[in-house]
C-alpha cells in the first residue's frame, strides 16, 4: 500500500515509478531526456506520495564545512556547566556527517581577563557560528556586535543581552522564575518576615545576570504579596566548604528566627550540606537547577523545592538551531525560546533523578 504522507525521497519515487533515480532527478528539475509517458508516470507518483528532497545530501555534496565556537566556563564534575557541555556535545554527535566542527573556548567565570581571552580566540578563529553563555555582559555584547558585522549567527544560553543581534536564545524566563520562587517559598504568609539569600562570592567579577533577574522577580513578588517580608543578601564561597560552614553557623546564630532560605544560583546543595551536618530540620530551602547534588538533597529533605529547566536539552537545542541555520539556512521558529519551569519536590524527584 502506498503511503499518503508527503515524505517520500527521490529513491522511493524511483522505486515506486519503476525508473532510475537519475530519471526522477531529471523530472524534478525539469530537464530533457525523459519521454512524456515516463515524465507523467513520475509526476503522478510524486503527486500521490509527495517528494521530500534530501537537503542534507545536497549540502554534503558541496563539501562545505562549518565551525561552531562555544564559549562556556570551566566546570567540575556535577556542576551546572557540565550539563551545558553535555547538551553541546550531544548535538554535535548527532550531526555527524554534516561537516560541522566544534571548538570550545573555556574561561574562568570569576576572572574577566579569562573571558576576554576566550573572546579574542573566537575572533581569531573566525567561526561560522557562536554559542555563548554571556556572564560578562559588556564584553559579550562587544564580541557579538563584532561578529554581527561579519553576519556570524549567535545563540545564547542561560541569559541574553537585549541590545544585540542574535539568532536564538534558549533558557529559563529568569524574572518569572524568581517571582515563582517567592510564591513557593513564602507565598503571602504574613508570618514570614525575613528570607535570607546566599549568593556566590564572585570577587571582583560582576553578578551573573541570571541571578540578578531572579532576584528582581523575587523582590517584585514580595512587593506585590508580602510587603512586610524583607530579603537579606549574604555571600558564600563557590568552593571553600569550611568557610561556608563558618558563614552559615555565624548567620543563623545571629538570626535564629530566619527559617526561609533561597539561593538564586545552582548551588543550593552547599547550604543543604550544612543543614545535614548540623542536623537542621526547621528551615525551608529553595534552589535552582537539576544538579545531581541538588536532587539528592531534595530527596533527603534538606532542600524543600527546586525550580529547574532541562539545561542539557536547552544547550542541545541552541547548537541544533545554529546547525540548522548553517546547513539549511533555516531560522528557528522563534527567537526567544523559554523553557518550562519544572517544580521538583521530594515526592516527584525520582522521576528526574538519574545517577551518573
Amino acid at each position: 500500500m502506498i503511503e499518503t504522507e508527503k515524505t517520500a525521497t527521490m529513491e522511493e519515487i524511483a522505486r515506486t515509478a519503476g525508473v532510475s533515480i537519475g530519471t526522477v532527478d531529471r523530472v524534478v528539475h525539469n530537464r530533457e531526456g525523459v519521454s512524456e509517458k515516463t515524465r507523467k508516470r513520475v509526476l503522478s507518483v510524486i503527486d500521490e506520495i509527495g517528494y521530500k528532497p534530501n537537503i542534507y545530501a545536497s549540502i554534503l555534496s558541496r563539501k562545505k564545512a562549518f565551525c561552531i565556537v562555544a564559549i562556556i566556563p570551566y566546570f567540575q564534575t556535577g556542576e551546572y556547566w557540565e550539563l551545558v557541555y553535555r547538551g553541546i556535545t550531544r548535538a554535535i554527535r548527532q550531526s555527524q556527517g554534516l561537516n560541522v566542527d566544534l571548538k570550545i573556548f573555556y574561561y574562568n567565570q570569576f576572572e574577566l581577563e579569562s573571558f576576554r581571552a576566550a573572546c579574542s580566540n573566537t575572533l581569531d578563529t573566525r567561526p561560522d557560528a557562536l554559542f555563548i553563555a554571556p556572564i560578562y555582559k559588556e564584553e559579550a555584547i562587544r564580541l557579538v556586535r563584532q561578529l554581527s558585522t561579519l553576519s556570524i549567527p549567535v545563540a545564547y544560553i542561560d541569559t541574553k543581552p537585549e541590545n544585540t543581534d542574535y539568532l536564538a536564545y534558549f533558557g529559563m524566563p529568569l524574572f518569572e522564575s524568581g517571582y515563582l520562587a517567592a510564591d513557593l517559598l513564602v507565598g503571602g504568609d504574613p508570618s514570614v518576615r525575613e528570607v535570607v539569600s546566599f549568593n556566590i562570592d564572585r570577587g571582583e567579577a560582576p553578578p551573573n545576570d541570571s541571578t540578578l533577574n531572579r532576584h528582581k522577580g523575587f523582590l517584585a513578588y514580595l512587593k506585590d504579596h508580602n510587603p512586610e517580608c524583607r530579603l537579606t543578601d549574604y555571600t558564600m564561597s563557590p568552593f571553600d566548604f569550611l568557610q561556608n560552614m563558618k558563614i552559615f553557623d555565624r548567620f543563623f546564630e545571629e538570626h535564629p528566627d530566619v527559617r526561609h532560605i533561597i539561593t538564586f544560583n545552582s548551588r543550593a546543595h552547599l547550604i543543604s550540606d550544612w543543614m545535614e551536618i548540623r542536623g537542621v530540620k526547621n528551615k525551608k530551602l529553595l534552589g535552582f537547577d537539576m544538579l545531581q547534588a541538588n536532587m539528592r538533597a531534595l530527596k533527603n529533605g534538606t532542600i524543600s523545592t527546586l525550580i529547574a529547566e532541562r539545561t542539557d536539552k536547552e544547550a542541545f537545542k541552541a547548537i541544533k538551531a545554529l546547525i540548522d541555520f548553517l546547513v539549511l539556512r533555516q531560522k528557528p521558529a522563534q527567537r526567544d525560546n523559554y523553557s518550562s519551569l519544572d517544580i521538583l519536590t521530594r515526592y516527584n524527584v525520582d522521576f528526574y533523578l538519574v545517577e551518573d
Side-chain angles (χ1 to χ4, degrees):
M1 182 176 181
I2 295 176
E3 294 286 341
T4 58
E5 187 180 0
K6 307 293 187 179
T7 58
T9 64
M10 191 175 291
E11 291 82 357
E12 292 167 323
I13 296 293
R15 186 168 57 251
T16 304
V19 299
S20 69
I21 294 175
T23 297
V24 176
D25 183 73
R26 286 192 289 274
V27 172
V28 168
H29 296 96
N30 198 28
R31 300 192 185 103
E32 297 180 353
V34 182
S35 70
E36 190 60 27
K37 180 179 179 181
T38 300
R39 185 182 299 277
K40 287 182 178 180
R41 184 162 74 251
V42 171
L43 290 174
S44 176
V45 171
I46 290 175
D47 183 61
E48 186 169 359
I49 69 173
Y51 169 54
K52 181 180 180 180
N54 191 337
I55 299 174
Y56 287 108
S58 176
I59 293 294
L60 289 175
S61 70
R62 297 203 293 268
K63 304 298 182 183
K64 169 67 175 175
F66 301 100
C67 174
I68 296 176
V69 162
I71 300 180
I72 61 173
Y74 291 110
F75 58 83
Q76 297 179 4
T77 300
E79 292 184 344
Y80 173 86
W81 297 106
E82 182 184 22
L83 299 178
V84 173
Y85 173 82
R86 288 181 182 179
I88 293 171
T89 52
R90 182 164 65 91
I92 295 297
R93 285 197 306 272
Q94 290 194 10
S95 301
Q96 285 183 351
L98 295 181
N99 296 329
V100 177
D101 184 34
L102 172 70
K103 292 184 183 298
I104 301 180
F105 293 128
Y106 297 97
Y107 65 94
N108 184 334
Q109 63 176 302
F110 303 108
E111 293 182 4
L112 174 59
E113 289 306 316
S114 177
F115 183 78
R116 285 175 173 166
C119 293
S120 178
N121 289 335
T122 298
L123 290 172
D124 290 343
T125 300
R126 192 66 69 88
D128 295 291
L130 173 67
F131 171 104
I132 185 171
I135 289 180
Y136 288 92
K137 186 165 63 173
E138 295 306 316
E139 284 70 20
I141 290 172
R142 191 175 300 115
L143 172 64
V144 171
R145 285 177 175 170
Q146 288 177 281
L147 296 179
S148 294
T149 65
L150 302 172
S151 300
I152 295 174
V154 174
Y156 289 126
I157 190 80
D158 189 51
T159 186
K160 59 182 175 71
E162 295 292 347
N163 52 344
T164 58
D165 184 19
Y166 58 95
L167 179 71
Y169 164 74
F170 290 85
M172 184 180 288
L174 297 168
F175 179 91
E176 291 80 1
S177 70
Y179 202 94
L180 173 63
D183 186 62
L184 293 171
L185 187 61
V186 304
D189 185 351
S191 67
V192 181
R193 307 304 294 268
E194 184 176 5
V195 176
V196 60
S197 166
F198 286 106
N199 301 304
I200 292 299
D201 183 356
R202 297 180 56 80
E204 296 181 359
N208 192 316
D209 257 15
S210 61
T211 298
L212 289 176
N213 285 321
R214 286 172 181 156
H215 192 276
K216 290 176 183 176
F218 195 97
L219 288 177
Y221 182 94
L222 294 184
K223 180 180 179 181
D224 291 344
H225 302 283
N226 200 339
E228 299 302 317
C229 181
R230 69 180 182 187
L231 180 64
T232 301
D233 291 298
Y234 267 69
T235 58
M236 60 182 175
S237 168
F239 306 116
D240 193 331
F241 171 78
L242 292 178
Q243 177 66 17
N244 284 335
M245 291 292 289
K246 294 176 182 177
I247 289 171
F248 302 143
D249 283 344
R250 183 165 54 250
F251 177 85
F252 288 106
E253 284 173 6
E254 296 173 356
H255 304 82
D257 295 331
V258 175
R259 301 191 176 206
H260 294 76
I261 312 168
I262 187 168
T263 179
F264 294 108
N265 52 64
S266 62
R267 301 181 192 245
H269 60 90
L270 299 179
I271 307 166
S272 72
D273 287 345
W274 170 81
M275 293 173 64
E276 188 170 3
I277 290 170
R278 295 295 190 233
V280 174
K281 303 288 186 182
N282 66 339
K283 302 195 185 298
K284 188 174 181 180
L285 169 60
L286 184 146
F288 288 83
D289 297 317
M290 289 193 291
L291 275 61
Q292 293 296 309
N294 283 346
M295 295 169 74
R296 284 190 285 268
L298 186 67
K299 189 173 176 65
N300 70 30
T302 48
I303 292 178
S304 304
T305 311
L306 282 177
I307 298 176
E309 60 184 323
R310 306 302 182 98
T311 303
D312 56 336
K313 291 185 178 180
E314 299 307 314
F316 173 89
K317 291 175 184 177
I319 291 291
K320 186 67 167 55
L322 290 173
I323 292 173
D324 286 345
F325 182 76
L326 293 175
V327 176
L328 306 178
R329 307 310 297 177
Q330 182 180 90
K331 289 186 176 183
Q334 53 194 31
R335 196 182 190 206
D336 293 329
N337 301 271
Y338 294 108
S339 63
S340 61
L341 300 178
D342 290 359
I343 301 172
L344 280 62
T345 72
R346 66 189 305 178
Y347 302 109
N348 66 350
V349 66
D350 283 339
F351 300 102
Y352 295 85
L353 184 61
V354 178
E355 296 292 341
D356 292 331

